[in-house]
Amino acid sequence: MAVLPITGSQASAAVRVDAKQVQAKDKPEQKEQKAEFTASRSEMKAQSNKNIVEAMFGGGKQGDDKAMNILYSEIMSTINAELGAEHAITPNKVAGQSDDYWSPENTAGRIVDGALGFFETFQRQNSSMGEEEQVEKFLSVITKSIDKGYGEATKVLDGLKIFDGSIKDNAEATRSLIDDKLAAFREAKLGKAEAE
């Protein structure tokens, strides 16, 4: 059997083939390790986010208050964007309030009071309309803003995985009370017969 001499280029090619074979063998293990690392990193991030949410919203009443603050802030920011911030009740103005400050009744009252604070300005800006048309148009504008803000707030709370239980109940009660208060405003301005 004759042995043929190996040239430098052939030796380089043989080394490249062996290196590729070694890399090919390592790839599944490396991919698996990388996938495990990515999964554990994702799990740590999810757990960290969960801990942050629990710290912010856990603990019953205090967590509910923070969620109601989000609801209030989102609704008022959409109303302010639509009608102007001049008459708005901002979160800075409400810091350090009483324990029941974020109850559905009080939150709905602040939202409606803040929204209705724009009515006189709206009337001046739309003086060519009759009072009934002003009331209807104004209620239409602020109701759309409230709906948008409520939707954005519930999306935030749902994204944080906390829009359930008492937080959801309080948000829904607040929304219902807002509707009742706006209906009472309409009735006060236009009379009961026209409100029905």
Short mmCIF file of all heavy atoms in Angstrom, two decimals, residues 131-157:
data_model
loop_
_atom_site.label_atom_id
_atom_site.label_comp_id
_atom_site.label_asym_id
_atom_site.label_seq_id
_atom_site.Cartn_x
_atom_site.Cartn_y
_atom_site.Cartn_z
N GLU A 131 -79.46 75.47 24.31
CA GLU A 131 -79.01 74.79 25.53
C GLU A 131 -79.11 73.28 25.42
O GLU A 131 -78.19 72.55 25.81
CB GLU A 131 -79.78 75.28 26.76
CG GLU A 131 -79.23 74.65 28.04
CD GLU A 131 -79.91 75.12 29.30
OE1 GLU A 131 -81.05 75.62 29.23
OE2 GLU A 131 -79.30 74.97 30.37
N GLU A 132 -80.19 72.78 24.87
CA GLU A 132 -80.34 71.32 24.75
C GLU A 132 -79.24 70.74 23.88
O GLU A 132 -78.63 69.72 24.22
CB GLU A 132 -81.71 70.96 24.16
CG GLU A 132 -81.91 69.46 24.05
CD GLU A 132 -83.29 69.07 23.53
OE1 GLU A 132 -84.18 69.93 23.43
OE2 GLU A 132 -83.45 67.88 23.22
N GLU A 133 -78.95 71.39 22.76
CA GLU A 133 -77.90 70.90 21.87
C GLU A 133 -76.53 70.99 22.55
O GLU A 133 -75.70 70.09 22.40
CB GLU A 133 -77.89 71.72 20.57
CG GLU A 133 -76.95 71.16 19.52
CD GLU A 133 -76.97 71.95 18.22
OE1 GLU A 133 -77.67 72.99 18.13
OE2 GLU A 133 -76.25 71.54 17.29
N GLN A 134 -76.31 72.06 23.32
CA GLN A 134 -75.05 72.19 24.06
C GLN A 134 -74.88 71.03 25.04
O GLN A 134 -73.80 70.42 25.12
CB GLN A 134 -75.00 73.51 24.83
CG GLN A 134 -74.82 74.73 23.98
CD GLN A 134 -74.94 76.01 24.79
OE1 GLN A 134 -75.58 76.04 25.85
NE2 GLN A 134 -74.34 77.08 24.29
N VAL A 135 -75.94 70.75 25.80
CA VAL A 135 -75.88 69.67 26.80
C VAL A 135 -75.61 68.33 26.11
O VAL A 135 -74.72 67.57 26.53
CB VAL A 135 -77.17 69.62 27.65
CG1 VAL A 135 -77.22 68.35 28.50
CG2 VAL A 135 -77.28 70.86 28.52
N GLU A 136 -76.35 68.05 25.06
CA GLU A 136 -76.21 66.76 24.36
C GLU A 136 -74.82 66.62 23.75
O GLU A 136 -74.18 65.57 23.87
CB GLU A 136 -77.28 66.61 23.28
CG GLU A 136 -78.70 66.54 23.81
CD GLU A 136 -78.99 65.34 24.71
OE1 GLU A 136 -78.20 64.38 24.74
OE2 GLU A 136 -80.03 65.37 25.39
N LYS A 137 -74.35 67.66 23.08
CA LYS A 137 -73.03 67.62 22.44
C LYS A 137 -71.93 67.49 23.51
O LYS A 137 -71.00 66.68 23.37
CB LYS A 137 -72.82 68.89 21.61
CG LYS A 137 -71.48 68.98 20.94
CD LYS A 137 -71.36 68.03 19.78
CE LYS A 137 -70.05 68.31 19.02
NZ LYS A 137 -69.74 67.27 18.10
N PHE A 138 -72.05 68.27 24.59
CA PHE A 138 -71.07 68.21 25.67
C PHE A 138 -71.02 66.81 26.28
O PHE A 138 -69.95 66.23 26.46
CB PHE A 138 -71.39 69.25 26.74
CG PHE A 138 -70.46 69.22 27.91
CD1 PHE A 138 -69.18 69.72 27.81
CD2 PHE A 138 -70.87 68.68 29.13
CE1 PHE A 138 -68.30 69.68 28.89
CE2 PHE A 138 -70.00 68.65 30.21
CZ PHE A 138 -68.72 69.14 30.09
N LEU A 139 -72.18 66.26 26.59
CA LEU A 139 -72.22 64.90 27.17
C LEU A 139 -71.66 63.87 26.21
O LEU A 139 -70.98 62.92 26.63
CB LEU A 139 -73.64 64.55 27.60
CG LEU A 139 -74.15 65.27 28.85
CD1 LEU A 139 -75.61 64.94 29.11
CD2 LEU A 139 -73.30 64.93 30.07
N SER A 140 -71.90 64.05 24.93
CA SER A 140 -71.36 63.13 23.94
C SER A 140 -69.83 63.18 23.94
O SER A 140 -69.16 62.14 23.96
CB SER A 140 -71.89 63.50 22.55
OG SER A 140 -71.25 62.73 21.56
N VAL A 141 -69.27 64.39 23.97
CA VAL A 141 -67.82 64.55 23.96
C VAL A 141 -67.19 63.95 25.22
O VAL A 141 -66.22 63.18 25.13
CB VAL A 141 -67.43 66.05 23.81
CG1 VAL A 141 -65.95 66.27 24.08
CG2 VAL A 141 -67.82 66.57 22.43
N ILE A 142 -67.73 64.30 26.38
CA ILE A 142 -67.07 63.80 27.60
C ILE A 142 -67.31 62.31 27.81
O ILE A 142 -66.45 61.62 28.35
CB ILE A 142 -67.44 64.62 28.87
CG1 ILE A 142 -68.90 64.50 29.22
CG2 ILE A 142 -66.99 66.05 28.74
CD1 ILE A 142 -69.24 65.06 30.59
N THR A 143 -68.45 61.80 27.36
CA THR A 143 -68.70 60.36 27.49
C THR A 143 -67.71 59.57 26.64
O THR A 143 -67.18 58.55 27.08
CB THR A 143 -70.16 60.01 27.11
OG1 THR A 143 -71.03 60.71 28.00
CG2 THR A 143 -70.42 58.52 27.23
N LYS A 144 -67.43 60.07 25.42
CA LYS A 144 -66.43 59.39 24.58
C LYS A 144 -65.06 59.43 25.25
O LYS A 144 -64.33 58.45 25.23
CB LYS A 144 -66.36 60.06 23.20
CG LYS A 144 -67.51 59.72 22.30
CD LYS A 144 -67.40 60.45 20.97
CE LYS A 144 -68.68 60.27 20.17
NZ LYS A 144 -68.69 61.12 18.97
N SER A 145 -64.72 60.56 25.84
CA SER A 145 -63.43 60.68 26.54
C SER A 145 -63.37 59.75 27.75
O SER A 145 -62.35 59.10 27.99
CB SER A 145 -63.20 62.12 26.99
OG SER A 145 -63.10 62.97 25.88
N ILE A 146 -64.46 59.68 28.50
CA ILE A 146 -64.51 58.79 29.67
C ILE A 146 -64.39 57.34 29.22
O ILE A 146 -63.64 56.56 29.81
CB ILE A 146 -65.79 59.04 30.49
CG1 ILE A 146 -65.69 60.41 31.20
CG2 ILE A 146 -66.03 57.91 31.50
CD1 ILE A 146 -66.99 60.90 31.80
N ASP A 147 -65.12 56.97 28.17
CA ASP A 147 -65.03 55.61 27.65
C ASP A 147 -63.61 55.26 27.23
O ASP A 147 -63.10 54.18 27.53
CB ASP A 147 -65.97 55.42 26.46
CG ASP A 147 -67.44 55.40 26.85
OD1 ASP A 147 -67.75 55.21 28.04
OD2 ASP A 147 -68.29 55.59 25.95
N LYS A 148 -62.95 56.20 26.54
CA LYS A 148 -61.58 55.97 26.09
C LYS A 148 -60.65 55.82 27.29
O LYS A 148 -59.84 54.89 27.35
CB LYS A 148 -61.12 57.12 25.20
CG LYS A 148 -59.73 56.93 24.65
CD LYS A 148 -59.32 58.08 23.76
CE LYS A 148 -57.89 57.88 23.27
NZ LYS A 148 -57.39 59.05 22.55
N GLY A 149 -60.75 56.72 28.25
CA GLY A 149 -59.90 56.65 29.44
C GLY A 149 -60.13 55.38 30.23
O GLY A 149 -59.19 54.74 30.71
N TYR A 150 -61.40 55.00 30.38
CA TYR A 150 -61.74 53.78 31.10
C TYR A 150 -61.14 52.57 30.38
O TYR A 150 -60.54 51.69 31.01
CB TYR A 150 -63.26 53.63 31.22
CG TYR A 150 -63.70 52.41 31.99
CD1 TYR A 150 -63.76 52.44 33.37
CD2 TYR A 150 -64.07 51.25 31.33
CE1 TYR A 150 -64.16 51.32 34.09
CE2 TYR A 150 -64.48 50.13 32.04
CZ TYR A 150 -64.53 50.17 33.42
OH TYR A 150 -64.92 49.06 34.12
N GLY A 151 -61.27 52.55 29.06
CA GLY A 151 -60.71 51.45 28.28
C GLY A 151 -59.20 51.36 28.43
O GLY A 151 -58.64 50.27 28.58
N GLU A 152 -58.52 52.51 28.39
CA GLU A 152 -57.06 52.52 28.54
C GLU A 152 -56.66 52.07 29.95
O GLU A 152 -55.70 51.32 30.11
CB GLU A 152 -56.51 53.90 28.22
CG GLU A 152 -56.60 54.24 26.74
CD GLU A 152 -56.22 55.67 26.41
OE1 GLU A 152 -55.84 56.43 27.32
OE2 GLU A 152 -56.32 56.02 25.22
N ALA A 153 -57.40 52.52 30.95
CA ALA A 153 -57.07 52.14 32.32
C ALA A 153 -57.27 50.65 32.54
O ALA A 153 -56.41 49.98 33.15
CB ALA A 153 -57.94 52.93 33.30
N THR A 154 -58.37 50.11 32.05
CA THR A 154 -58.61 48.67 32.25
C THR A 154 -57.59 47.85 31.47
O THR A 154 -57.19 46.78 31.92
CB THR A 154 -60.05 48.27 31.86
OG1 THR A 154 -60.31 48.63 30.50
CG2 THR A 154 -61.06 48.93 32.77
N LYS A 155 -57.12 48.37 30.33
CA LYS A 155 -56.08 47.68 29.56
C LYS A 155 -54.78 47.64 30.36
O LYS A 155 -54.10 46.61 30.41
CB LYS A 155 -55.86 48.40 28.23
CG LYS A 155 -55.13 47.57 27.20
CD LYS A 155 -54.89 48.34 25.90
CE LYS A 155 -56.15 48.83 25.27
NZ LYS A 155 -55.91 49.53 24.00
N VAL A 156 -54.44 48.75 31.01
CA VAL A 156 -53.23 48.80 31.85
C VAL A 156 -53.36 47.80 33.00
O VAL A 156 -52.46 47.00 33.26
CB VAL A 156 -52.99 50.23 32.41
CG1 VAL A 156 -51.94 50.21 33.51
CG2 VAL A 156 -52.59 51.18 31.29
N LEU A 157 -54.49 47.85 33.69
CA LEU A 157 -54.70 46.96 34.84
C LEU A 157 -54.74 45.50 34.41
O LEU A 157 -54.20 44.62 35.09
CB LEU A 157 -55.98 47.34 35.58
CG LEU A 157 -55.97 48.74 36.20
CD1 LEU A 157 -57.36 49.10 36.72
CD2 LEU A 157 -54.94 48.85 37.30
#
